[in-house]
Amino acid sequence: MSRGKKFAALTLLSFIVLVIVGAKFSGHQGDATGTRTGSLSDYLNASGSPDAKDVPISQVGINQLASEAGHLRVSINFTWLLMTGFLVLFMQVGFAFLVTGLTRAKNAGHMMMMNLTSFAVALLAYFAVGFALQFGGIAPVANLGGIAPLNGLTPHGNWGLIGTHGFFLQSAHGYDVGVMALFLFQVVFMETAGYIIIGAIAERVSFAAFLLAEVVMGALIYPIFGMWVWGGGFLAHLGQSYNWGHGAVDFAGSGVVHATGGWAALAMAVVLGPRLGKFNRDGTPNAFPGHNLGYVVIGTLVLVFGWMGFNPGSTFGATDLRISVVAVNTLLAGCCGTVTALAWTNAKWGKPDISMTCNGMLAGLVAITAPCAFVAPWAACVIGIVAGLVVCYGVWFFDHVAHVDDPCGAVSVHGLCGAWGVLSVGIFADGTYGDGWNGVSGPVKGLIYGDGGQLLAQVAEVVVGFAWAFGLFYVIFKLAKNFMAIRVSEAAEIEGLDVPEFGAHCYPDFVLVSHEIRGDHDNGDSYALSGDGHGSSTQVP
Amino acid sequence: MNHLITAIIKPHKLDDVKDAVRAAGVLGLTVSEIRGFGRQGGKTETYRGTEYTVDFLPKVRIDILVEDHEADKIVDVIASSARTGKIGDGKIWITPVLRTVRIRTGELDSDAL
């Protein structure tokens, strides 16, 4: 057996052993059936009434009624959380269409396979380790009946770094309906950060390196940063420790999800280097047109639909009627981003660019993800318009100035617009929502409503997020480069990755015309690509 | 003796050409989707902010076998039905054919059309 096989077998074996050990020794003292989750106290706590102990014993009948109501309240929130989680899960379909359409036909199978396996591999990593690191210390969550088992915060107080309960969804009584509901909703968010990377590393990354990226993302990079903002960590507590507004406020994850994915994508794109022939010797880029703009548009629209779960679901409950504001703000920003990119490309190049218009829509959605619950509709429009401009200049910047090859614009859409979204909370939050957010009383207010401290906390999230996701991904893949092939061979890249990596063409019934590349990306006249569309694969029946 | 008429035309003119040559008495033709360039040498477009040249533009190639005395008339029919007056209308040429055989019956030359 080769070293690689031994390593894989050992990993699998220890995974199974840990699951069994967890099942044997964790005990099932969480609420695994759901009958004890949601009671009178939930009704009283969540509706702002006095504590249960203040209610006279003579009111037993009313207590039973209220207990039913409390259970119902939590049930409605569970339903909302799970349904919106399923919508977010569907975004995986949109992303698969989007990135496959934006790349060449000869790599389509590879693109689809990455989208499929990113889901499974990252989910298992998150199940084993990531979820506990991120949310192991988040309890209580009132909307979901408390989630009592998840109360392992390390270190305690304002400087939390990791959670410690819920490894394998079993440790510390993690086998609990509330924990499972939270897991489902959070794992699909992690998946989003995981598959964002694909857009920037497409058409040259080796499958093995990609799987490593997904494990690292699902087990460490995403959960730990997510903990700092969402799991009771130090960024969330900047309001209490430094008086910076409410601490880092990131409603549905412009920073936690999108910027993390975008910065990790940037790090990997830099370490991998550009695709063969992408840049000429003088640094000017060549276009590699995507093979199916229909896929790109379908994918974008599927993503918009999924975003209706991504943002409104992040209230963790349908009993919070702010969900309608969140949903409408999300659509407004997405459409403003679309129109901005459409107008900008039309003004700049004479015709609206289809794929850039799609990127504009996603840019608006990414940017509004953090502020969607805290801003007025007019501000959502402004945030979307700025995001549309950021993505257009971002794609131009990485192509023409930074010379980082990002086939699908992942870094511009998710990294830059994610950062913009986080900052925009600190500017536009209008003080109508978020009373008590991160343990700070009063609603969340941005700079123009008089709270400059909030903007400081947002800047802190952006800076820490970039250093963490970009820094660690860069280091990990610089090291990985020494003992594994993180990039496919030149021959495989020219032929297309489908057959060298998976032994099957995505489109076997067509002749894929691979264009010869004279010279290569390091030396020689790599601009001299023969064939149409400079290296695009065209199908000839 | 038969002649082979080969025409390279704009793809969207295919139906017009087909109807016109049918009306002129042609019994069959062969169509292929092809790509190529002429004096214009392709054209430039912008994709995500980067210019690229489409060197080979899509065209349709039509092959028609006709009796030699029909050839000039059919060429005129094709030319008038395929013409748009703009760059890239295409070309037509005629080649003499040494032998034509109908596979099913073994008939030869003009009987094989």
Side-chain angles (χ1 to χ4, degrees), chain A residues 464-523:
Chain A
V464 172
F466 178 81
W468 173 258
F470 180 87
L472 266 183
F473 247 76
Y474 188 84
V475 169
I476 288 170
F477 281 92
K478 271 285 180 191
L479 291 176
K481 215 174 176 178
N482 295 323
F483 60 87
M484 70 189 289
I486 62 169
R487 187 174 172 138
V488 296
S489 69
E490 279 194 18
E493 196 178 331
I494 291 168
E495 181 192 340
L497 274 54
D498 286 12
V499 172
E501 296 259 277
F502 301 122
H505 281 294
C506 192
Y507 303 109
D509 292 345
F510 297 91
V511 178
L512 299 176
V513 182
S514 294
H515 299 290
E516 185 192 344
I517 293 173
R518 287 178 240 147
D520 63 33
H521 57 112
D522 286 323
N523 56 355

Side-chain angles (χ1 to χ4, degrees), chain B:
Chain B
M1 190 160 149
N2 290 335
H3 279 182
L4 173 67
I5 301 175
T6 304
I8 309 290
I9 61 168
K10 289 191 165 169
H12 72 275
K13 296 303 279 183
L14 177 60
D15 275 346
D16 291 345
V17 172
K18 179 204 69 182
D19 292 344
V21 296
R22 257 206 158 145
V26 167
L27 297 171
L29 56 75
T30 307
V31 173
S32 0
E33 291 178 40
I34 54 157
R35 292 181 301 163
F37 67 87
R39 273 194 289 182
Q40 191 194 1
K43 59 180 176 184
T44 304
E45 289 291 349
T46 307
Y47 175 78
R48 297 175 71 79
T50 303
E51 281 200 345
Y52 69 102
T53 310
V54 182
D55 293 321
F56 299 104
L57 299 175
K59 296 284 170 191
V60 162
R61 171 179 169 145
I62 303 175
D63 291 292
I64 308 176
L65 281 169
V66 293
E67 290 188 59
D68 51 1
H69 65 272
E70 294 275 302
D72 286 338
K73 185 184 93 187
I74 300 298
V75 167
D76 286 346
V77 168
I78 294 174
S80 59
S81 57
R83 184 175 297 126
T84 67
K86 299 196 181 95
I87 286 173
D89 268 355
K91 297 221 177 353
I92 308 172
W93 61 87
I94 306 176
T95 330
V97 173
L98 293 178
R99 179 75 38 92
T100 312
V101 182
R102 186 193 301 282
I103 292 175
R104 177 168 58 87
T105 59
E107 288 164 288
L108 295 178
D109 297 334
S110 57
D111 294 331
L113 292 181

Side-chain angles (χ1 to χ4, degrees), chain A residues 107-127:
Chain A
N107 299 316
H110 196 256
M111 297 301 291
M112 283 291 179
M113 186 66 168
M114 286 200 289
N115 276 285
L116 175 70
T117 49
S118 74
F119 185 72
V121 171
L123 185 140
L124 291 176
Y126 194 71
F127 158 68

